[in-house]
Amino acid sequence: MQMPMSNLTPITELYVSYDSAQKLKHEAGNLVSWDLTPRQTCDLELLMNGGFNPLKGFLGEADYDSVVDTMRLADGTLWPMPINLDVSEDFAASIEPGQDIALRDQEGVILATMTVTDRWTPDKAREAAQVFGADDVAHPAVNYLHHQAGKVYLGGPVTGIQQPVHYDFKARRDTPNELRAMFRKLGWRRVVAFQTRNPLHRAHQELTFRAAKEAQANLLIHPVVGMTKPGDVDHFTRVRCYEAVIDKYPGSTTSMSLLNLAMRMAGPREAVWHGLIRANHGCTHFIVGRDHAGPGKNSAGDDFYGPYDAQEMFRKYQDEIGVEMVDFKHMVYVQERAQYEPADEIEDGVTVLNISGTELRRRLREGLEIPEWFSFPEVVTELRRTSPPRAKQGFTVFFTGLSGSGKSTIANALMVKLMEMGGRPVTLLDGDVVRKHLSSELGFSKEHRDLNIKRIGYVASEITKNGGIAICAPIAPYTATRRAVREMVEQYGAFVEVHVATSLEECERRDRKGLYKLAREGKIKEFTGISDPYEEPNNAELVVDTEGLEVDNCAHQVVLKLEQLGLIAY
């Protein structure tokens, strides 16, 4: 008797029937609702379509604690990543366990309902240390945990009403059951998945060819198009790159599907998580990379994870995952043989060529040649469309410093100098001007000051995205808020932080507006430098001290820095 092929049988989804969904959608309109963040929307989609099977909803407290400490649900099932609905304290206080809530996307569309079974305030430092290996905000997911995620977690089962709507690349988006049905139809019994969040170059093609041949399997290119690492190439560009080269693969044994996953960049744990997700999508093999899902350097300048930690952890849990690992071979180009080969199989005496990700970005930034042995001309064309030479890209100059330090004066001088050069529109987002036009209703509490800076950051990111130059000159006293603005902008272009490091004594001596005097007298509360702290930047691109220097000289220092960074060219 032939046993059913487990990777081809349908998987459980959390959606109700169409008729039930219409009824439930009407009823859910009267429920208290939570507007999902982009990350929560990604998580909910994979909960509902079975990508996160066996989860039936957002984790309750017992499952959360078990996952954080042991990589297992409370019943012992392997699951390495906490999937929680993080909400604000105010929202959490407005609901009670046992209550149903509606989950809406950012357009207000109801996607699901959730029965809240658990409500608790997690120990985020513990979560960071256990899940990501360190409570270090240099890790993007740890920074998200502490500075963006809500303070309270809700857990409970989810009832799916409808999928999130995607208007892009609709033909390339498949649920786990849609992929399983395709594999059944094509007769694919062995499928190796390739996880990527980067454009495909020739080394990746050779790697995937070899992996499929080694596993005697068909190939599923399964790139992540949800949330990846800040600074990554946007998914629109990446998918255009994939589509430009997919015809270079044999059509009868290769397919491509997009995965709307919010990555956590958790290295070894993430590799196991990716394996479980691919098992749910019907894959039998999975390529695990060198430093798989690594976020880069920690605060000490070292890699967060060892290069083969992810492979070792995956190998340990391989049987439970139900997917066989295919080792990622580091591929390099051998000039004499004009082909890619695994680096560990190359003999001495041959010429090895390789271009790192950093070197590729430099060549794009400076408009230099990218050789055909490294990438496909079609891919390079797409990358150049999105990443023109740096001197033609938008960017943001972000001045920060105490009140009276000279930020606005230097910013004005810089604006004039950049307008004199021409070529790109220049916008000055001065703190006082923004307060008048964008944030007139805000006060000066920490919460309101943070919100004001984030509004400035959002406007600057839009200017940068559209090829302009944004000059910002707020006080911006808090490190976490400045980092949030940096991440907003760096999705689209360079962020140049300039610390105007004029001393408090000099700022008080200038005190043209009389603010320091009022603050000393207690007439202005929470005044930066007097009754509220100013957290000095540790890694600003430029530090300027205005004492004893003319404004023109200070502005020229910024111009020289922009020239050094390749952002302007005379």
Side-chain angles (χ1 to χ4, degrees):
M1 175 179 169
Q2 187 177 4
M3 296 296 290
M5 303 295 290
S6 61
N7 69 308
L8 302 182
T9 55
I11 197 167
T12 303
E13 296 183 347
L14 303 184
Y15 293 109
V16 295
S17 68
Y18 176 81
D19 289 340
S20 297
Q22 301 314 302
K23 182 170 180 273
L24 186 56
K25 189 186 299 184
H26 178 73
E27 294 170 353
N30 299 316
L31 297 176
V32 173
S33 61
W34 173 255
D35 292 340
L36 298 161
T37 65
R39 184 162 98 166
Q40 291 167 350
T41 304
C42 289
D43 288 349
L44 178 64
E45 180 172 357
L46 286 165
L47 283 169
M48 294 191 297
N49 69 22
F52 283 174
N53 185 64
L55 303 191
K56 304 303 180 192
F58 291 99
L59 297 184
E61 188 171 9
D63 279 328
Y64 164 81
D65 285 334
S66 184
V67 166
V68 167
D69 291 335
T70 69
M71 290 179 49
R72 295 182 181 278
L73 300 173
D75 66 5
T77 303
L78 180 67
W79 188 265
M81 200 62 58
I83 305 295
N84 295 100
L85 188 70
D86 56 281
V87 300
S88 65
E89 290 174 300
D90 288 345
F91 182 81
S94 72
I95 59 169
E96 294 295 332
Q99 184 175 341
D100 287 348
I101 61 173
L103 302 178
R104 298 177 182 263
D105 69 12
Q106 293 188 308
E107 300 294 324
V109 176
I110 299 175
L111 303 178
T113 62
M114 172 182 168
T115 302
V116 179
T117 58
D118 296 72
R119 179 184 63 192
W120 75 100
T121 302
D123 180 347
K124 291 188 175 181
R126 168 175 155 260
E127 180 180 337
Q130 293 289 90
V131 177
F132 304 107
D135 187 18
D136 182 347
V137 292
H139 192 299
V142 175
N143 181 63
Y144 183 96
L145 190 64
H146 286 306
H147 300 305
Q148 291 179 257
K151 292 187 176 180
V152 182
Y153 285 180
L154 303 180
V158 160
T159 301
I161 295 175
Q162 67 182 72
Q163 298 183 58
V165 177
H166 300 289
Y167 297 106
D168 59 324
F169 308 114
K170 294 170 83 73
R172 295 287 188 188
R173 294 179 182 270
D174 303 288
T175 68
N177 278 329
E178 287 169 343
L179 278 182
R180 285 170 174 249
M182 184 188 81
F183 298 156
R184 281 198 303 275
K185 182 176 181 179
L186 297 176
W188 288 12
R189 298 293 183 265
R190 295 165 67 86
V191 182
V192 58
F194 178 55
Q195 148 88 28
T196 179
R197 58 177 229 276
N198 296 307
L200 289 179
H201 301 297
R202 291 188 186 274
H204 299 114
Q205 185 192 47
E206 184 61 32
L207 158 75
T208 51
F209 278 160
R210 284 173 175 256
K213 188 175 179 180
E214 181 182 318
Q216 298 180 50
N218 298 281
L219 174 65
L220 176 68
I221 299 173
H222 207 202
V224 170
V225 295
M227 298 173 68
T228 59
K229 181 183 172 186
D232 280 353
V233 176
D234 69 272
H235 84 265
F236 298 103
T237 301
R238 288 189 287 112
V239 175
R240 289 198 300 271
C241 288
Y242 303 142
E243 293 191 323
V245 300
I246 193 68
D247 61 355
K248 299 183 186 301
Y249 286 84
S252 60
T253 58
T254 305
S255 187
M256 182 175 79
S257 181
L258 308 182
L259 179 65
N260 197 46
L261 174 71
M263 290 182 68
R264 269 61 164 183
M265 309 305 297
R269 278 197 185 221
E270 183 115 0
V272 173
W273 190 41
H274 287 173
L276 291 166
I277 292 167
R278 275 20 184 259
N280 288 330
H281 282 78
C283 300
T284 58
H285 295 70
F286 183 53
I287 302 170
V288 179
R290 183 181 182 277
D291 192 26
H292 185 96
K297 305 291 185 184
N298 63 19
S299 293
D302 302 317
D303 290 335
F304 270 97
Y305 312 114
Y308 301 107
D309 289 357
Q311 292 182 359
E312 289 169 11
M313 183 174 281
F314 196 101
R315 193 174 285 113
K316 177 180 175 182
Y317 293 104
Q318 183 170 271
D319 291 343
E320 280 188 87
I321 295 169
V323 167
E324 190 176 324
M325 180 176 75
V326 180
D327 289 15
F328 187 112
K329 304 289 195 304
H330 179 50
M331 308 297 293
V332 293
Y333 186 76
V334 179
Q335 188 172 30
E336 286 81 356
R337 294 191 281 271
Q339 65 184 21
Y340 276 91
E341 298 177 13
D344 59 359
E345 296 177 12
I346 294 172
E347 73 277 15
D348 293 336
V350 297
T351 308
V352 171
L353 302 178
N354 192 28
I355 292 180
S356 67
T358 302
E359 173 64 12
L360 173 62
R361 287 189 291 274
R362 185 187 75 84
R363 289 176 181 238
L364 286 170
R365 187 170 63 238
E366 297 180 15
L368 301 176
E369 180 200 2
I370 297 170
E372 281 203 35
W373 62 260
F374 174 76
S375 193
F376 304 99
E378 300 93 331
V379 171
V380 173
T381 298
E382 287 297 338
L383 292 175
R384 289 203 192 281
R385 283 176 60 194
T386 305
S387 301
R390 223 176 184 199
K392 295 182 180 179
Q393 292 179 19
F395 64 89
T396 292
V397 181
F398 191 91
F399 290 92
T400 174
L402 294 168
S403 177
S405 60
K407 303 181 301 300
S408 297
T409 309
I410 301 170
N412 271 290
L414 176 66
M415 178 181 67
V416 172
K417 287 177 180 289
L418 293 174
M419 291 176 74
E420 180 187 8
M421 292 177 195
R424 283 170 284 191
V426 185
T427 303
L428 175 61
L429 298 170
D430 181 71
D432 291 340
V433 174
V434 169
R435 278 274 175 185
K436 179 179 178 182
H437 294 289
L438 278 182
S439 301
S440 59
E441 86 284 10
L442 298 183
F444 289 89
S445 66
K446 181 181 188 302
E447 181 184 9
H448 278 194
R449 280 184 284 176
D450 277 352
L451 180 56
N452 182 52
I453 300 305
K454 287 176 180 175
R455 286 179 182 178
I456 292 173
Y458 171 73
V459 175
S461 72
E462 289 295 304
I463 292 168
T464 300
K465 178 171 71 174
N466 288 289
I469 300 171
I471 303 174
C472 313
I475 294 172
Y478 306 120
T479 302
T481 314
R482 293 194 300 263
R483 174 170 176 157
V485 171
R486 179 183 287 272
E487 289 183 355
M488 273 190 255
V489 171
E490 285 186 338
Q491 297 178 70
Y492 308 115
F495 180 87
V496 182
E497 187 174 52
V498 180
H499 178 204
V500 184
T502 310
S503 68
L504 177 62
E505 293 74 22
E506 176 65 14
C507 292
E508 279 202 77
R509 188 187 65 75
R510 296 173 182 174
D511 200 14
R512 288 182 298 177
K513 301 176 184 177
L515 300 177
Y516 283 98
K517 182 174 182 294
L518 294 172
R520 291 287 187 193
E521 294 170 354
K523 295 177 181 176
I524 299 180
K525 306 296 183 186
E526 297 179 307
F527 189 82
T528 301
I530 303 299
S531 51
D532 205 61
Y534 176 78
E535 299 171 2
E536 292 196 358
N538 294 321
N539 298 300
E541 278 74 13
L542 180 66
V543 178
V544 176
D545 187 343
T546 63
E547 291 181 55
L549 291 177
E550 294 180 355
V551 171
D552 192 62
N553 181 275
C554 295
H556 193 63
Q557 287 184 50
V558 182
V559 170
L560 291 173
K561 171 56 70 172
L562 297 176
E563 186 180 19
Q564 180 196 28
L565 294 171
L567 294 168
I568 57 175
Y570 289 105

